[in-house]
């Protein structure tokens, strides 16, 4: 039985007392080959989807949260706090519930997907909506965690990044080596930082012999790293990555430069197109922000970026069910009719 990332990778995640480990058996997510998507985007490359929506709370955040909350418990903490565009708060709420401690989550009012809000609430977190964006919320929770005995579990907490390295380990374990390219959506830039650190840790331990190029994609309306300036008013349909001043900005640039990769922007239209494509062609439902990784591969393919023969892993960071509103908005409305065969067949076009 899978034991969660901490116990599956004990060489990388060390705990002197196993009782402090807080896990909901996160990780072990599938690496799904996406041949129909590749055929459509670029038949010369192979695309794999690291489907992080299948983590316990439906996003990659669980990998970091198991580490951050376990370390908080180890240190005797009784409460955690985070700012969030939604997924971090869902994960923090669940892991705090599991650990029997309190969670306080601060979210931007009106700008978080419905499923994520539901998660934070049902797990019993104290949810505070601020009249500002994610960056404003992060400033407040940082201040609070500095002055009160409440552990910050945003990715400024280094244990979050530690745990998220496990995504890279699993990909190498599945493929037997790293892919040539690894594509990710970039928001606060913790995940691209963590994957790169994970690949490097696997290289240092002799488990792999080379490293992938990291390619990250921000939404155009929230693309501070691409534009080299803070976005005071970030805007994108992909609310998970609606972030104007990423906490791991410099580390993401390092990952980009060391790996000889890139960080580029994709438009909301490109994100939505990729979101629909992966759902319709592969049966894999991710949230809009996750599809930025695929939108980026589409954009780069069209520019002739790939030579052919490369394997490209796209991390699909969160489950599509988190954001039902966007799925419904871009799909065609179901037709209503009487429960009679002829009428139903008529609607079906027979
Ligand atoms: C689905 O939950 O920042 O670049 O507060 O939920 O590591 O920030 C979420 C980010 C990509 C970006 N995809 O990852 C939060 C939060 C999804 C996300 C990102 C997020 P980072």
């Amino acid at each position: 039985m899978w034991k969660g990332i901490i116990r599956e990778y004990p060489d990388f995640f060390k705990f002197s007392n196993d009782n402090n480990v807080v896990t909901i058996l996160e990780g072990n997510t599938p690496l799904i080959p996406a041949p129909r998507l590749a055929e459509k985007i670029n038949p010369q490359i192979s695309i794999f989807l690291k489907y992080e929506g299948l983590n316990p709370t439906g996003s990659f955040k669980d990998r970091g949260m198991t580490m951050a909350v376990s370390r908080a418990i180890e240190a005797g903490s009784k409460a955690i706090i985070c700012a969030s565009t939604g997924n971090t708060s869902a994960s923090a709420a669940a892991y705090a519930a599991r650990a029997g401690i309190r969670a306080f989550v601060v979210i931007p009012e009106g700008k978080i997907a419905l499923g994520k809000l539901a998660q934070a609430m049902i797990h019993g977190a104290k949810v505070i909506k601020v009249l500002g964006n994610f960056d404003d919320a992060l400033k407040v929770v940082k201040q609070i965690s500095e002055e009160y005995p409440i552990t910050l579990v945003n990715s400024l907490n280094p244990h979050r990044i530690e745990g998220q390295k496990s995504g890279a380990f699993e990909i190498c374990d599945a493929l037997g080596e790293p892919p040539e390219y690894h594509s990710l959506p970039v928001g606060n830039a913790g995940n691209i930082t963590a994957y790169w650190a994970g690949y490097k840790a696997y290289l240092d331990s002799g488990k792999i012999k080379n490293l992938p190029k990291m390619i990250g994609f921000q939404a155009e309306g929230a693309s501070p790293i691409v534009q080299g300036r803070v976005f005071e008013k970030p805007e994108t349909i992909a609310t998970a990555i609606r972030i104007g001043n990423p906490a791991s900005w410099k580390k993401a640039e390092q990952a980009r430069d060391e790996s000889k990769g890139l960080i580029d922007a994709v438009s909301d239209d490109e994100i939505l197109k990729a979101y629909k494509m992966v759902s319709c062609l592969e049966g894999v439902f991710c949230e809009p922000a996750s599809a930025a990784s695929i939108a980026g591969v589409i954009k780069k393919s069209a520019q002739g970026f790939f030579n052919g023969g490369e394997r490209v892993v796209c991390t699909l960071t969160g489950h599509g069910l988190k954001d039902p509103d966007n799925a419904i908005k871009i799909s065609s409305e179901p037709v209503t009719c009487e429960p009679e065969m002829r009428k139903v067949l008529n609607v079906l076009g027979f």
Side-chain angles (χ1 to χ4, degrees):
M1 195 180 91
W2 179 261
K3 301 190 292 271
I5 61 133
I6 292 174
R7 294 185 179 127
E8 291 289 335
Y9 293 100
D11 296 347
F12 296 92
F13 309 124
K14 292 196 165 60
F15 280 80
S16 50
N17 181 356
D18 187 71
N19 290 331
N20 290 326
V21 173
V22 181
T23 175
I24 317 176
L25 308 187
E26 57 297 309
N28 197 24
T29 57
L31 186 65
I32 305 172
R36 300 189 73 215
L37 192 63
E39 186 62 35
K40 196 90 171 193
I41 296 175
N42 179 350
Q44 309 305 319
I45 61 174
S46 306
I47 298 177
F48 294 86
L49 309 171
K50 182 64 171 161
Y51 193 23
E52 291 291 275
L54 295 188
N55 274 297
T57 77
S59 87
F60 72 99
K61 303 287 182 181
D62 295 343
R63 296 178 182 278
M65 206 56 72
T66 183
M67 276 296 286
V69 173
S70 298
R71 291 291 181 216
I73 294 297
E74 192 173 49
S77 176
K78 296 278 181 278
I80 59 176
I81 192 168
C82 66
S84 181
T85 58
N87 279 325
T88 298
S89 62
S91 187
Y95 281 80
R98 184 85 176 171
I101 60 174
R102 300 196 67 190
F104 307 111
V105 309
V106 183
I107 55 175
E109 207 254 330
K111 295 289 181 182
I112 104 165
L114 194 64
K116 303 175 187 179
L117 180 61
Q119 288 178 289
M121 291 167 68
I122 196 72
H123 291 303
K126 179 79 189 167
V127 180
I128 301 123
K129 297 180 180 179
V130 288
L131 305 169
N133 59 32
F134 168 84
D135 305 282
D136 302 320
L138 185 60
K139 258 186 236 163
V140 176
V141 299
K142 256 170 77 178
Q143 262 178 337
I144 292 174
S145 70
E146 279 158 16
E147 293 181 27
Y148 291 83
I150 306 175
T151 307
L152 183 70
V153 295
N154 279 104
S155 56
L156 289 164
N157 178 327
H159 305 305
R160 279 275 314 277
I161 304 288
E162 277 302 303
Q164 285 174 213
K165 287 179 182 175
S166 60
F169 302 163
E170 288 179 19
I171 290 167
C172 296
D173 293 348
L175 293 176
E177 54 187 344
E180 281 69 34
Y181 288 95
H182 189 135
S183 180
L184 289 152
V186 175
N188 223 13
N191 212 24
I192 193 168
T193 300
Y195 266 102
W196 180 238
Y199 285 119
K200 286 199 297 184
Y202 243 33
L203 184 78
D204 288 345
S205 72
K207 291 193 186 284
I208 54 173
K209 295 191 172 51
N210 45 310
L211 291 165
K213 291 185 168 67
M214 305 301 295
I215 56 178
F217 297 94
Q218 301 194 295
E220 264 172 18
S223 51
I225 300 177
V226 179
Q227 302 241 337
R229 64 178 172 89
V230 170
F231 276 53
E232 297 295 342
K233 291 197 172 10
E235 274 310 336
T236 167
I237 184 113
T239 51
I241 53 172
R242 183 174 169 269
I243 294 171
N245 190 10
S248 299
W249 187 324
K250 288 283 162 284
K251 286 181 186 149
E253 288 181 340
Q254 252 175 9
R256 174 195 66 193
D257 297 342
E258 287 176 20
S259 75
K260 303 190 173 60
L262 59 87
I263 297 178
D264 200 349
V266 285
S267 69
D268 279 6
D269 281 350
E270 289 169 319
I271 289 172
L272 289 177
K273 192 172 155 227
Y275 171 62
K276 185 119 202 205
M277 267 174 90
V278 65
S279 306
C280 292
L281 293 173
E282 300 291 358
V284 176
F285 189 23
C286 65
E287 61 176 287
S290 305
S293 63
I294 295 170
V297 173
I298 296 173
K299 178 175 176 177
K300 289 290 140 191
S301 282
Q303 294 173 349
F305 175 77
F306 300 106
N307 295 320
E310 298 100 330
R311 289 162 299 183
V312 183
V313 171
C314 295
T315 298
L316 299 186
T317 43
H319 203 292
L321 288 172
K322 290 191 174 252
D323 193 355
D325 295 329
N326 270 313
I328 290 170
K329 212 180 292 166
I330 68 156
S331 306
S332 43
E333 276 273 315
V335 176
T336 307
C337 86
E338 300 296 327
E340 285 169 34
M341 186 169 92
R342 205 163 318 128
K343 294 201 168 151
V344 174
L345 283 172
N346 191 37
V347 174
L348 295 178
F350 290 108

